[in-house]
Amino acid sequence: MPAAPARLVVLVSGAGTNLQALLDACQDPAYGAQVVAVGADRDGVEGLARAERAGVPTFVLRVADFATREEWDRALAARVADHDPDLVVLAGFMKLVGPAYLSVLGGRTVNTHPALSPSFPGMQGPRDALDYGVKVTGATLFVVDAGVDTGAIVAQTVVPVEDDDTVATLHERIKVAERAMLVTTVGRMAREGFRLEGRRVRLGR
Ligand code: GAR
């Protein structure tokens, strides 16, 4: 008997092309995972529409609807945990999760960041890389911790920076590589499991 597919909850804030790549991969039973819910911190984003088209339940928790950031963080943890995820994927989720979230879901939440960590953390990875003048950049999948894009690295992918790049062309090149990395790595995490040894992430049991 094949093991049950790993349960993925994906959190998004925008276009959701990384989510779409995961939804597409999950069509194949051999991928070993299914997206059981998609959450967002804002209404009306394409990522939610992608989930709805795929028949995946969605939820929205807006920070502005809570008295404090801590209450939002607790509510987010509870709502995600309701879906009993094996792995939570932050895929273009533009909020930092806090201590309450991490106390429940730390160690099984990964985030994809459009830069090669530890360079260029934060909200503007492609812009910061372009401004710095690096010749290569990429994307990093990491296990979320309390810092800003500081967690243990699961996978990285590299793309060139071209002389005529704008932030948009560079980010688009990163996203093509990022989606492939995300699908490959999340699939392996789902099928093979993973463990943390200090800062080093080992795939497999
Ligand atoms: C991705 O490039 C992701 O790495 C980035 O937002 C994009 C989302 O694209 N995330 C961050 O910058 C988080 N700090 P998508 O909505 O099309 O998947």
Side-chain angles (χ1 to χ4, degrees):
M1 281 278 287
R7 299 172 61 82
L8 308 181
V9 172
V10 183
L11 301 183
V12 299
S13 296
T17 65
N18 282 284
L19 164 66
Q20 188 68 57
L22 289 171
L23 289 168
D24 293 347
C26 289
Q27 294 288 317
D28 180 356
Y31 186 65
Q34 59 176 337
V35 179
V36 296
V38 170
D41 63 323
R42 59 198 74 182
D43 298 297
V45 293
E46 181 60 17
L48 289 170
R50 290 176 190 277
E52 282 155 16
R53 286 196 293 272
V56 173
T58 63
F59 59 88
V60 175
L61 290 174
R62 301 183 333 148
V63 173
D65 292 336
F66 292 82
T68 65
R69 181 74 182 226
E70 291 69 28
E71 281 181 31
W72 172 82
D73 192 51
R74 266 197 300 279
L76 179 68
R79 188 64 73 87
V80 171
D82 277 349
H83 295 281
D84 195 21
D86 296 300
L87 192 64
V88 185
V89 181
L90 311 189
F93 188 59
M94 295 301 186
K95 289 284 183 298
L96 291 177
V97 297
Y101 178 96
L102 289 171
S103 71
V104 179
L105 293 153
R108 52 183 165 132
T109 298
V110 291
N111 188 11
T112 178
H113 176 62
L116 291 175
S117 298
S119 295
F120 314 122
M123 302 290 280
Q124 302 199 328
R127 177 179 299 280
D128 293 343
L130 198 61
D131 288 350
Y132 196 90
V134 293
K135 300 300 186 192
V136 294
T137 184
T140 302
L141 186 70
F142 62 94
V143 180
V144 174
D145 68 8
V148 178
D149 302 324
T150 52
I153 293 170
V154 190
Q156 292 184 299
T157 187
V158 178
V159 302
V161 180
E162 306 291 358
D163 287 347
D164 58 353
D165 264 335
T166 63
V167 175
T169 60
L170 178 59
H171 195 181
E172 195 47 45
R173 188 176 311 114
I174 292 169
K175 286 178 69 169
V176 171
E178 181 178 36
R179 289 190 286 267
M181 172 189 72
L182 186 70
V183 166
T184 299
T185 311
V186 166
R188 286 196 62 190
M189 295 173 92
R191 292 186 303 274
E192 301 171 24
F194 69 99
R195 61 188 191 283
L196 275 168
E197 290 174 3
R199 280 200 56 85
R200 305 185 70 176
V201 179
R202 307 289 191 195
L203 294 172
R205 299 186 203 284

